[in-house]
Each structure stands twice: as structure tokens, then as C-alpha cells.
């Protein structure tokens, strides 16, 4: 089954599931016109399958679709943006 990423606003995180099992998440805080990514985690039993990158791409695409500026406090999200310049335009300047 294909991995699925959904927003869980009650927990302030995007969740990635595989076959219905929680495989990882990216925690966030909302702020006026933006989203602050604070922590991203993939369950150890799902590591090494490219799911972290899939999650990062999905959350950044969602931020773009919602017109939100991105504050990448999470090292994983920041590193993903560094490696994928197509997301540089999402970064907030302050």
C-alpha cells in the first residue's frame, strides 16, 4: 500500500501512515501566515525506505498549497529544503 500523509491539527502534526500504521510525523506550530516545523520523526521500524523524504515533500507541498511561509526549525525539514532548491521560496525571512 502507498504511504499516506494527513494533517492531524488536534495533535499539531502531519502523520505518515503505511498500511494504516503510523510510520512517522512532522510536528508543527501555526503562526500568522506561516507554519513552524519543529520536529520530524520516522519510526525505527520504517527507516531506510525514503519515508522521511516523502513526508518532508508532502508537508512542504501542503504549506505551498495553503499559501504558508515555512519556518524550518526542524533540522530534517531544513536539510530537505537545502537539498531541494524548489522549496527555497517557501522559507520565511524572519
Amino acid at each position: 500500500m502507498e504511504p499516506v500523509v494527513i494533517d492531524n491539527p488536534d495533535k499539531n502534526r502531519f502523520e505518515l501512515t503505511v498500511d494504516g500504521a503510523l510510520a512517522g510525523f512532522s510536528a508543527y506550530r501555526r503562526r500568522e501566515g506561516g507554519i513552524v516545523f519543529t520536529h520530524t520523526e520516522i519510526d525505527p521500524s520504517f527507516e531506510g525506505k525514503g519515508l522521511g523524504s516523502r513526508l518532508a515533500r508532502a508537508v512542504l507541498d501542503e504549506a505551498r498549497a495553503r499559501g504558508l511561509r515555512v519556518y524550518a526549525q526542524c533540522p530534517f525539514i531544513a536539510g530537505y529544503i537545502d537539498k531541494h532548491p524548489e522549496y527555497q521560496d517557501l522559507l520565511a525571512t524572519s
Side-chain angles (χ1 to χ4, degrees):
M1 180 174 239
E2 192 71 16
V4 175
V5 177
I6 60 162
D7 186 7
N8 184 340
D10 291 338
K11 291 189 175 183
N12 293 313
R13 67 186 193 180
F14 286 92
E15 298 176 338
L16 180 132
T17 60
V18 177
D19 294 332
L22 182 64
F25 65 88
S26 188
Y28 65 81
R29 288 190 325 268
R30 292 292 307 261
R31 66 184 285 182
E32 179 88 24
I35 188 166
V36 182
F37 290 105
T38 58
H39 180 71
T40 299
E41 188 174 312
I42 297 296
D43 185 281
S45 64
F46 290 96
E47 287 180 351
K49 299 177 182 177
L51 295 175
S53 292
R54 184 174 287 234
L55 177 57
R57 185 171 51 252
V59 302
L60 293 170
D61 287 345
E62 187 63 23
R64 185 183 307 283
R66 295 181 187 182
L68 299 173
R69 306 302 297 161
V70 169
Y71 298 83
Q73 290 181 350
C74 167
F76 187 83
I77 296 295
Y80 187 87
I81 293 171
D82 284 345
K83 293 176 186 168
H84 297 88
E86 64 270 25
Y87 292 108
Q88 291 285 326
D89 64 305
L90 293 175
L91 288 172
T93 56
S94 62

